[in-house]
Every structure is written in structure tokens, then in C-alpha cells.
Amino acid sequence: MERLSEKKFWDAYWQQETRSDFQKHIFSDIFQHYLPKNASYFEIGCAPGTNLIYFANQFGYRVSGIDYSNIEQVGKLLKHHGIVPEELSGEDFFSYTPKRQYDVVASFGFVEHFQNTQEVIERHMQLVAPQGWLVIEVPNIRYFNFLLYRILNPSLLAIHNPKAMNLQALQAPIKESNNFEIVFSGYYKSCFLYFNPDNAELVKHSLRRKLFLGLRSLTTTLGLENYPNRFFSPYLFVIAKRIR
């Protein structure tokens, strides 16, 4: 599997993780609408562990996950919050031998770090139990958001595959399998709202940060924060249910 990033990058990346609110999630409206409660859950690329905590607390999920980076810290974080995972694996996902299938299989910002989108998604699908759910989210670093990253976080562009940031590309292997029904496929919210205002480039340039925060405030004031479209939305989602 051709990767666009390496383990040492993610080891350093997760060392900077500062999230602390595990009771909320930016995608909670989608989760609440589509996903079941009290199910088994497996997350691909589960570091830093915040999603595992959220789903365990808010959905009653029995959580498991895999990540070849920072898995020890994920375990410590779960233990600190009183959560005992069913399984935590520090293996490479593409050499991992699954022990079982799960009611909900999810990845957030994982698929786009590889060249072969179809193969990555097919491997996700193999883990989904009958009548289970597949959740795939990727960032939409194209169009306007490409310019935003080009200015504020150019180093991240090289580790993302823009061809994966396409609804048709995400849907194709799911449709081809004939085992899944897509229940949601679309873009999520609008620009500015979810880009980290504490990004290093923004912190370093106070005028640039003020401009960014001003645009974010204007977006909210004008009520433009929830107009999903491929040109400005920061994320895209596909959710599918296994029907056979």
C-alpha cells in the first residue's frame, strides 16, 4: 500500500494533541441521526483516542481501534477516563488480521493518506458485521480549502491524496460490492469554522490570525456556516449499512 505519510510524522503529530472535551463532537448531528446505540465499534486510525472516548460515553459503544502510531498513549487516555477497550492494536492496518467483525466501523481522516482509495475502503468494508454500519470521513482540501491550507498549513498538503476527496471515489467500492446501501453521502458545513485557529502559521502571524478569525465570525454572522458544497465545505462523509 503506497503511503503519503510515515509513522514518525504521526508520532510527532499526536505528541502535540491538546483536545480535552470528549463529550462533544463536531459531527455529532450526523452520528445521532444515523448511527445505532450500544454497539461494537472499531476505529481505523484511532489515535489520539478522543473518538473512542466520545462513542463509549455518548453511544454506549464497546470500543476497539487500530493505529500504528501512539497506541500506548491511546490506551493510557482511555484508562484515565475509565474506559476498557475490547481491543487496541498497534499494528499496520494493512498487515492486520481481524479477529472479528463490528457493528460500526469508522475512520476519520485516514483514507486520504493513501494512493489506492478503493483498496483502503474495501479493507474497511471487510470489518463490518451483517447489518452493521460503515462510516468514512475525509477532509475536503480542494478548491477554496486548498488555498486555505496552502497559506496556513502547506506542509500537510503533501500527505493528502486529493483524489480521495471526492464523493464518487468514496462511493464507488461500496456500490460495487452490492453488500452495502449508502444512507448518507455528502459534504459537511462550510469553510473557516473547523480550521484550527491555533495553527502555527496563524499564531506566528497575528494579522493573518485576526483576518482568519474575522472571516470565521463573518461566516457565522451571515448564517453561512451550514451550506454544504464541494467548493467550501471542510469535510465529506459517506455512511453505509451492510445489507447482506
Side-chain angles (χ1 to χ4, degrees), residues 91-104:
E91 297 178 59
D92 184 320
F93 178 57
F94 300 100
S95 58
Y96 169 71
T97 301
K99 298 177 177 62
R100 52 173 291 195
Q101 293 179 313
Y102 298 84
D103 300 322
V104 180

Side-chain angles (χ1 to χ4, degrees), residues 2-13:
E2 185 176 351
R3 304 174 181 278
L4 298 176
S5 59
E6 298 298 333
K7 183 178 184 297
K8 63 182 180 180
F9 170 87
W10 293 110
D11 287 344
Y13 184 89

Side-chain angles (χ1 to χ4, degrees), residues 11-135:
D11 287 344
Y13 184 89
W14 293 125
Q15 286 299 318
Q16 303 173 35
E17 177 58 41
T18 58
R19 279 176 274 183
S20 59
D21 186 353
F22 308 120
Q23 307 309 313
K24 299 177 183 178
H25 202 290
I26 59 174
F27 305 131
S28 61
D29 53 342
I30 287 185
F31 298 153
Q32 293 288 343
H33 187 77
Y34 290 102
L35 299 184
K37 299 291 180 68
N38 303 312
S40 59
Y41 172 85
F42 187 88
E43 183 174 344
I44 300 157
C46 66
T50 50
N51 291 325
L52 298 176
I53 294 172
Y54 169 82
F55 280 114
N57 288 339
Q58 300 301 313
F59 281 71
Y61 282 178
R62 304 177 300 281
V63 298
S64 299
I66 185 171
D67 203 305
Y68 75 162
S69 172
N70 209 44
I71 200 68
E72 295 84 5
Q73 292 303 315
V74 172
K76 290 179 182 178
L77 185 65
L78 294 181
K79 183 177 181 180
H80 178 74
H81 286 268
I83 296 169
V84 179
E86 291 192 328
E87 179 190 359
L88 280 183
S89 174
E91 297 178 59
D92 184 320
F93 178 57
F94 300 100
S95 58
Y96 169 71
T97 301
K99 298 177 177 62
R100 52 173 291 195
Q101 293 179 313
Y102 298 84
D103 300 322
V104 180
V105 174
S107 72
F108 303 95
F110 179 86
V111 172
E112 75 282 0
H113 294 297
F114 304 89
Q115 290 288 12
N116 193 336
T117 302
Q118 176 143 343
E119 185 179 342
V120 178
I121 293 175
E122 287 172 350
R123 190 157 176 81
H124 281 56
M125 293 159 57
Q126 293 168 8
L127 290 169
V128 182
Q131 303 303 310
W133 299 83
L134 173 68
V135 182

